[in-house]
């Protein structure tokens, strides 16, 4: 079944640690996105990719980085986690930018202590 | 600057009645609008969409209305069911760009 997968679902980690949030999709979508959401707030776009070797920063400045070496894989990395990075991170993919609904993963709830 | 606004953070409706969720946008370049539904600890799921060339789109119990002159859209759920209780996000897009989301409205449908 075509889907989009995010791991881990929940992560509690200490300040200064390096972390990678995984996102994989089996739909062959070219476009992939990372959104960050705090409780009661809108989803903020932090990174997007329109294909392999293409990555762009979104509207919300983020200290995270992303890579797109394979179509199906779009991991997000934080080199040194801080408490301000505590948030929910949502990965999504789509066939074309905005004209069809995005398919979202289940999200990663990150807590940095 | 927030381009998609959902000014009601929460809404409570009795089962069987109509739920109306509202959304306003500021960017006149937006031409495609979507509603997403989100349960706690899950990612948003696509619910319904509307193009700016239409003013209404219906899918079962869900209808979205678009008023371009007012830059306003609304989602109607009739009849509301307890399983509809979730956070609803309005989203908008212009040509070739990623979706802009509102802050969401938490809907509670009580039996």
């Amino acid at each position: 079944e075509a889907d989009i997968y995010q791991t881990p679902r929940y992560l509690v980690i200490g300040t200064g640690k390096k972390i990678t949030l995984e996102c994989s999709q089996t739909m062959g979508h070219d476009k992939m996105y990372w959104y960050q959401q705090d409780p009661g707030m809108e989803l903020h776009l932090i990174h997007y990719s329109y294909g392999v070797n293409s990555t762009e920063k979104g509207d919300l400045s983020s200290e995270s980085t992303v890579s797109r070496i394979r179509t199906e894989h779009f991991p997000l990395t934080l080199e040194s986690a801080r408490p301000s990075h505590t948030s929910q991170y949502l990965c999504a993919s789509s066939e074309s930018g905005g004209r069809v609904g995005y398919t979202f993963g289940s999200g990663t709830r990150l807590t940095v202590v | 600057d927030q381009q998609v606004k959902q000014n009601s953070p929460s809404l409570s409706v009795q089962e069987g009645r109509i739920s109306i969720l509202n959304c306003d946008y500021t960017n006149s370049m937006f031409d495609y609008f979507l509603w997403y539904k989100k349960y706690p600890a899950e990612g948003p799921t696509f619910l319904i969409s509307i193009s700016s060339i239409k003013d209404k789109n219906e899918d079962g119990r869900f209808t979205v209305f678009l008023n371009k002159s007012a830059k306003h859209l609304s989602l109607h759920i009739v009849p509301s069911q307890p399983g509809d209780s979730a956070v609803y996000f309005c989203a908008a897009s212009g040509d070739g760009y990623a979706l802009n989301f509102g802050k969401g409205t938490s809907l509670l449908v009580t039996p």
Side-chain angles (χ1 to χ4, degrees):
Chain A
E1 181 181 335
D3 210 336
I4 182 164
Y5 304 95
Q6 286 187 248
T7 57
R9 289 290 303 273
Y10 302 92
L11 179 62
V12 180
I13 199 163
T15 298
K17 299 292 186 183
K18 177 180 179 179
I19 58 170
T20 296
L21 307 184
E22 300 289 346
C23 177
S24 294
Q25 50 99 0
T26 59
M27 296 168 284
H29 287 167
D30 285 330
K31 296 177 172 59
M32 297 189 73
Y33 313 85
W34 276 102
Y35 283 85
Q36 183 177 340
Q37 190 209 5
D38 294 319
M41 301 297 289
E42 65 266 46
L43 282 70
H44 286 290
L45 180 69
I46 52 174
H47 296 285
Y48 62 97
S49 168
Y50 283 178
V52 172
N53 294 326
S54 152
T55 61
E56 300 288 344
K57 289 189 178 294
D59 300 326
L60 181 68
S61 175
S62 174
E63 294 166 345
S64 58
T65 58
V66 293
S67 63
R68 190 87 184 275
I69 299 172
R70 303 196 314 267
T71 297
E72 62 271 22
H73 195 214
F74 192 40
L76 180 146
T77 298
L78 276 165
E79 290 293 332
S80 180
R82 294 208 299 268
S84 61
H85 297 140
T86 295
S87 189
Q88 184 178 38
Y89 293 83
L90 293 158
C91 181
S93 70
S94 71
E95 290 181 348
S96 60
R99 289 299 180 274
V100 296
Y102 290 6
T103 302
F104 279 88
S106 297
T108 294
R109 172 70 65 184
L110 173 66
T111 302
V112 183
V113 297
Chain B
D1 183 31
Q2 196 178 357
Q3 300 185 70
V4 178
K5 300 178 183 179
Q6 293 177 258
N7 293 320
S8 297
S10 63
L11 175 67
S12 182
V13 171
Q14 258 189 327
E15 181 178 6
R17 306 291 291 265
I18 184 172
S19 296
I20 300 176
L21 295 90
N22 294 303
C23 177
D24 298 293
Y25 61 97
T26 59
N27 191 336
S28 57
M29 299 301 292
F30 288 151
D31 61 358
Y32 192 69
F33 306 89
L34 308 92
W35 286 93
Y36 282 82
K37 178 179 179 180
K38 185 179 185 297
Y39 293 115
E42 293 185 15
T45 55
F46 170 71
L47 193 59
I48 192 169
S49 64
I50 187 166
S51 166
S52 61
I53 63 173
K54 300 174 74 173
D55 54 19
K56 176 183 174 181
N57 189 27
E58 192 171 355
D59 184 2
R61 296 186 296 114
F62 303 91
T63 303
V64 56
F65 296 91
L66 175 63
N67 183 334
K68 290 187 292 293
S69 60
K71 293 191 178 70
H72 176 83
L73 63 154
S74 61
L75 175 68
H76 292 212
I77 306 173
V78 183
S80 302
Q81 299 173 355
D84 295 329
S85 298
V87 178
Y88 289 79
F89 288 94
C90 174
S93 172
D95 184 32
Y97 196 62
L99 293 178
N100 285 264
F101 286 85
K103 290 185 179 182
T105 296
S106 179
L107 173 66
L108 177 64
V109 180
T110 56

